[in-house]
Amino acid sequence: MSDLNQAAREAAQHKLRETLILSLQEVERLRKTLADSPQVGSEPIAIIGLGMRLPGAVTQLSDLWQLLKSGGDAVSPIPDARWSAQKNYDPNPDAPGKTYVREAAFLDNVDLFDADFFGISPRETKHIDPQHRLLLETSWHALEQAGVVPETLKQRKIGVFVGIGPSDYDAIQSTNKDAEAYRILGTHTSFAAGRIAFCLGLQGPAVSIDTACSSSLVALHQACQSLRLNECEMALASGVQVMADEGMFVQLSRTKALAPDGRSKTFSANADGYGRGEGAVVLVLEKLSRAQAQGRNILAVIRGSAVNHDGASSSITAPNGLSQQAVLRTALENAKLTAADIDVVECHGTGTALGDPIEVQAIAEVYGINRPAANPLHIGAVKTNIGHLESASGLAGVAKIIAAMQYQALPPTIHTLPRNPHLDWTALPVKVTESLQPWPRAAGGKTRRAGVSAFGLSGTNAHVILEEPPQSEIPPPG
């Protein structure tokens, strides 16, 4: 009997050892699977579609590239069709009820809209903010560019994330007695996202975001997080700005925030405020793994992003260099990259004597670490070409980087000379791109990557890190 008991004990111990070995093997398998899989907070997101309406008659990526590579300036006199610039003009910046600015970057035909196409009645259409109309049209174009049939998205978890500010059109509607029924529906910012979701039949999150100048980049960040959390299977991230009334020009003139000639002179000693612009940009997003499985045409990859706030500083509108550094570092951590992995930063770069040096110093502190003098970080700002699109400005910077990746070159930033004297440019590990520079993809070499920044007037900062698509999936330019 003792021999039988001993044999049973040995068999039980052997079985236990086998179970433990299998359990350890399973744990190791799971550990390896988790290590090889992207974490929820940092899974790469693919940009599979891009729609745009930008100053300079830009409606597609090739148009944008032609404007940028030639050093184009889309700023022009305020059209009479908008309002009388001369009537509201006074060169004295302290003149009440007047503006000292007569030029900005405007869109053509912003009053045109095919309401029948979207099933909207003429009575309702005339009360819809042009910003909402632009978003509808540009969202459709972005889906077309992505090769996605909009009708196939109905009743699916497709997210809509819109960066948008207050409505100039609302001020016009306030004088229209017959606008009462449609005023809220036509101009309230919540309907900017809601109308897109309604017209396309989308049932994912639909959110309008206002963080001033960082709105569209914050919208992009939120869209990426929503995709990673499986709240939606595809997302539209967008930004829009239309200058429908002169009121904001007058208000900004009181703060002396605007450049008298209507141009942002980023990094320059002549920086004297920013030039206003308008436009719309819409990105179509999917998780990279899903986009590859679907055989999508990938324009670029979002590796990481971050959002923070300046916190307490000298004033609510004053930039905080330490907070800017923090948002850049957090984006790098989210992307699991180092400063040396980034080739170029598309700056917020409004063109102010105070703001530009703070931003450049923050970039140098973060991206200048261990950077060889022979390989400086390139910096630029699309605001010098098309003005500051305010709520849409961040995604305008993203569009510029996508164009640069496709055409394998960095376009010039204009109006930058002479340089801002508050910075020792010779000692900084950065280089302003002032002429067309090659940015070729190295076969089997380093992946091209760029950062894009947007800093809101109210203190909300955003930074996104973009990467070129996998080599086999690079779309042809044009």
Side-chain angles (χ1 to χ4, degrees):
M1 289 291 294
S2 60
D3 290 341
L4 288 174
N5 288 339
Q6 179 66 25
R9 283 196 297 271
E10 289 177 354
Q13 289 172 351
H14 180 71
K15 183 66 174 176
L16 180 61
R17 281 196 299 272
E18 283 186 336
T19 302
L20 287 171
I21 289 170
L22 288 172
S23 297
L24 289 171
Q25 288 175 340
E26 179 64 14
V27 168
E28 177 60 21
R29 185 188 69 78
L30 289 171
R31 186 201 66 77
K32 188 174 186 307
T33 299
L34 289 171
D36 292 343
S37 301
Q39 296 180 6
V40 168
S42 60
E43 184 171 359
I45 302 297
I47 300 174
I48 62 171
L50 172 61
M52 68 180 80
R53 283 279 302 281
L54 296 175
V58 171
T59 60
Q60 54 189 348
L61 211 55
S62 57
D63 298 334
L64 178 60
W65 182 248
Q66 290 300 318
L67 177 74
L68 295 175
K69 79 169 186 177
S70 64
D73 182 344
V75 175
S76 62
I78 295 171
D80 290 335
R82 298 295 181 96
W83 61 84
S84 172
Q86 193 59 40
K87 177 183 176 182
N88 297 286
Y89 174 74
D90 193 314
N92 177 8
D94 296 315
K98 300 290 185 178
T99 177
Y100 55 86
V101 178
R102 291 183 291 186
E103 295 194 24
F106 288 88
L107 295 177
D108 298 324
N109 302 320
V110 75
D111 57 320
L112 301 183
F113 179 65
D114 190 348
D116 287 343
F117 184 82
F118 292 102
I120 304 173
S121 71
R123 183 184 175 194
E124 183 176 3
T125 299
K126 67 180 180 180
H127 302 301
I128 297 176
D129 191 326
Q131 296 184 127
H132 300 194
R133 302 179 205 165
L134 266 180
L135 284 170
L136 275 173
E137 294 173 337
T138 313
S139 295
W140 190 280
H141 293 158
L143 289 168
E144 282 188 333
Q145 203 272 335
V148 175
V149 179
E151 285 88 346
T152 65
L153 303 181
K154 289 183 178 180
Q155 299 184 356
R156 287 170 56 185
K157 289 171 57 179
I158 312 298
V160 180
F161 299 83
V162 177
I164 185 171
S167 170
D168 285 356
Y169 201 60
D170 190 42
I172 300 173
Q173 293 290 288
S174 65
T175 63
N176 189 338
K177 293 180 180 178
D178 120 278
E180 294 179 8
Y182 291 108
R183 182 172 174 184
I184 293 177
L185 281 65
T187 60
H188 198 283
T189 53
S190 64
F191 283 88
R195 194 176 292 277
I196 295 171
F198 171 77
C199 287
L200 300 180
L202 315 180
Q203 295 187 340
V207 184
S208 295
I209 296 167
D210 181 4
T211 59
C213 319
S214 57
S215 298
S216 65
L217 216 57
V218 173
L220 177 58
H221 170 79
Q222 296 290 358
C224 291
Q225 297 297 74
S226 186
L227 284 164
R228 290 168 178 142
L229 292 171
N230 295 318
E231 293 177 338
C232 52
E233 60 185 273
M234 181 185 292
L236 302 176
S238 60
V240 68
Q241 157 95 341
V242 173
M243 301 176 289
D245 181 73
E246 70 269 27
M248 188 57 67
F249 279 87
V250 174
Q251 292 180 45
L252 290 168
S253 293
R254 297 290 69 75
T255 67
K256 300 180 175 63
L258 301 179
D261 64 356
R263 288 165 174 80
S264 298
K265 296 172 278 293
T266 311
F267 315 130
S268 172
N270 297 325
D272 54 358
Y274 76 89
R276 300 192 75 200
E278 62 183 15
V281 180
V282 180
L283 304 178
V284 185
L285 311 173
E286 276 187 327
K287 289 181 183 177
L288 178 60
S289 56
R290 178 184 173 89
Q292 290 174 314
Q294 298 278 334
R296 303 290 194 198
N297 184 27
I298 300 173
L299 301 174
V301 174
I302 300 167
R303 281 293 303 267
S305 60
V307 172
N308 75 358
H309 191 273
D310 282 338
S313 55
S314 59
S315 75
I316 192 171
T317 60
N320 185 328
L322 293 178
S323 292
Q324 291 182 16
Q325 290 180 39
V327 80
L328 303 182
R329 290 193 178 98
T330 303
L332 277 173
E333 290 168 5
N334 181 249
K336 301 189 181 306
L337 297 170
T338 67
D341 295 318
I342 310 302
D343 301 321
V344 59
V345 169
E346 173 64 15
C347 297
H348 183 61
T350 48
T352 60
L354 173 66
D356 289 355
I358 290 174
E359 180 176 10
V360 173
Q361 289 282 14
I363 290 171
E365 287 292 328
V366 176
Y367 284 112
I369 297 174
N370 300 323
R371 186 174 289 274
N375 184 32
L377 180 81
H378 283 267
I379 59 174
V382 73
K383 290 178 179 65
T384 62
N385 304 96
I386 61 172
H388 184 358
L389 273 54
E390 296 171 14
S391 297
S393 62
L395 289 192
V398 170
K400 172 186 171 179
I401 293 299
I402 293 173
M405 286 179 173
Q406 283 207 11
Y407 289 90
Q408 302 191 50
L410 298 174
T413 299
I414 60 177
H415 309 315
T416 66
L417 296 174
R419 289 280 186 273
N420 190 311
H422 299 296
L423 288 167
D424 183 359
W425 292 95
T426 59
L428 293 172
V430 300
K431 180 181 180 181
V432 178
T433 310
E434 45 187 34
S435 61
L436 191 65
Q437 300 286 321
W439 193 22
R441 178 175 181 134
K446 179 183 175 184
T447 301
R448 293 178 298 173
R449 299 186 180 95
V452 179
S453 290
F455 305 137
L457 183 66
S458 57
T460 300
N461 308 310
H463 191 69
V464 171
I465 294 175
L466 299 175
E467 177 178 287
E468 64 185 333
Q471 191 159 9
S472 61
E473 300 173 39
I474 294 181

